[in-house]
Amino acid sequence: MTRLSYLILLLLLTISISAEDFNIQVDFSDSTSHELFNYKGRVPAKAEGSGVMLMNGGYASNHNNSVKINSVIKGNHKKETISFNLFITPGGDGAGFALLNGKHISEDSLSYIAEHWETPNFKKAFGVGFDIYNPQTSAWFDKYGNFYGRPQREISLHWDGREVYKVMSPIEFRSDPMHDEIHNMKIELDYVTGGAEASVSIDDTLVIEKFFIAEMLPYNKVPVMGVTTSDFTTTVYVDSLIFSGEGVTVEQELKQSFVLVDNMEFHSKNREEYKEVKFPKAGRKTGRVIMTLDLGGLAGGPSGWDVGASIYLFDADSTKYEICRFITPYHRGYIWKVDVTDFLPLFKGKKNVRVNVSTWEPITEDPAKQKGWKVHAKLDYYEGPSEFRPVKVVNLWAGNEEYGNPEKPLSDFFDTREVKVPRKTDKVKIRFVVTGHGMSPNSNNAAEFMPADRTFIVNGKEFHNRLWKTDCYLNPCRPQGGTWKFDRAGWAPGDVVKAWEIDITNYVGKDRKLNFQYIPMEYINENRNDKTYPPHHRVETQLIYYKKR
């Protein structure tokens, strides 16, 4: 055997050992497999048969119980899967599952408690919440969000002490107390460059699909589960708890950070700020760029209004690219993690940055009482594998256009476009960032509070979408001081605007041409006059070209 062959064989053996899959099924009948904790109330959790009764709803209000699994999940696998059967009855407040970080817990039992298990927030740890108590409210401005009386069956994702995402489950997972209904929960974690993609399924129905959690890198994990009740109670039973892992974690590194926006201040006399920046050189191994967007208040506090805000880059020829649109919260600041990897081709050389925040806060004589916003943003460059590398950003339709005026129809703004895709392009994506603004007395309360259907056609292929956001009340930036809980046309107060993204690679013709049409829903504003703010759609549309690495 040659020395080279020997080294290759040794490398393959090393990889096969480090990639060894694992599968652990917790046997709750074995008392050494777990530890039970009772932090509040008189009825502790109890191992029963193949599972554990975390809470007996017959007589256990105002309780907090949990179970720690005495197995450590090593953080060296590319994919981890956790599954268990859950029996949970309606009541209060909910249950949670968490993978505690071995570096940030101690033997003290307080390490294994969440104040509210439906929000399992732990330092540098991942969690999933099962929230079953979110009663309807008729108040516009209170702290409760369920204004429309939607089902109280919510699933949330948590990372590093905060909720990052929450959805109302499309299927019922709460069990009838009179029946032995039990539902299978499956959590999948795929570690990718710059973080992890989390998926949650209930009885084989996908509830959350590959939600990217920025900066969630592999770590050694200690599993825990718990339940919290207040004056209302619930029964929670768990069994068939299985952990599995496969593959090898990706090699990745936070290579560099760069301050894009440095504490710019905004009020009614300063809604726009410019700054020239020189981007650092990004290595060819850069696989992800994450922007931390930190929005805080001025000395007198944050503004009390939800207003539109954007961060733009200007190229050498003054071409403007919107790289992030966000809506300010009511009366509070917030921090977002935004994946801006698509704009990597723009992050080079000298650029002008423009930040717009359309705040209305008047100027005060005393600077200590000045209300408004302070914006700080930095970019983190992660090196690691990715299948495609963005190489070019192309603007299409962009503007703030009136909607519902027959004299200047929105359809005229969306003229037919045609582009020719450069050769050696391996992937093409189109992204629409559209938000509706304006309200009563516009007919149908347009455009902020009116759902608007739309059709996108590429080379004859139709895609349909509704510009309407029904999960504003579940926005992690809650509660707020205003009408944050209302459904809106593509945005929520205190949130980054999400793009409608479509992979159109398969529709590139042999001539490399793409023909685009965007057809907005027909609408006429019957209450047009000079005294109202007419309905508008703010539009930014971009093509992203990629090459395989």
Side-chain angles (χ1 to χ4, degrees), residues 61 80 83 116 119 200 216 222 227 242 279 284 316 322 342 455 458 471:
S61 60
E80 296 164 351
S83 67
H116 293 280
T119 55
V200 178
M216 181 177 156
V222 177
V227 59
I242 301 173
F279 284 95
R284 291 186 63 83
E322 185 185 53
D342 280 344
T455 299
V458 52
D471 60 354

Side-chain angles (χ1 to χ4, degrees), residues 452-470:
D453 294 327
R454 49 190 177 164
T455 299
F456 171 64
I457 306 174
V458 52
N459 285 357
K461 172 64 177 179
E462 293 188 5
F463 296 88
H464 302 278
N465 178 267
R466 171 165 287 190
L467 184 65
W468 193 236
K469 189 171 175 62
T470 60

Side-chain angles (χ1 to χ4, degrees), residues 322-351:
E322 185 185 53
I323 65 168
C324 181
R325 185 183 307 175
F326 61 101
I327 311 295
T328 63
Y330 293 97
H331 297 288
R332 61 175 293 183
Y334 202 69
I335 298 174
W336 299 272
K337 300 287 183 178
V338 187
D339 186 347
V340 291
T341 312
D342 280 344
F343 302 104
L344 185 57
L346 304 176
F347 299 159
K348 59 178 62 174
K350 291 184 178 180
K351 294 286 191 301

Side-chain angles (χ1 to χ4, degrees), residues 65 74-75 85 104 142 163 215 232 250 260-261 263 267 278 291 348 385 404 421 445 453 472 503 519 533:
N65 291 344
K74 297 292 186 181
N85 293 329
H104 297 279
D142 67 9
E163 180 185 284
E215 301 173 354
F232 299 95
V250 296
L260 182 68
V261 177
N263 289 318
H267 44 68
K278 184 177 181 180
M291 180 171 70
K348 59 178 62 174
V421 178
N445 219 356
D453 294 327
C472 297
D503 186 338
I519 304 173
Y533 179 71

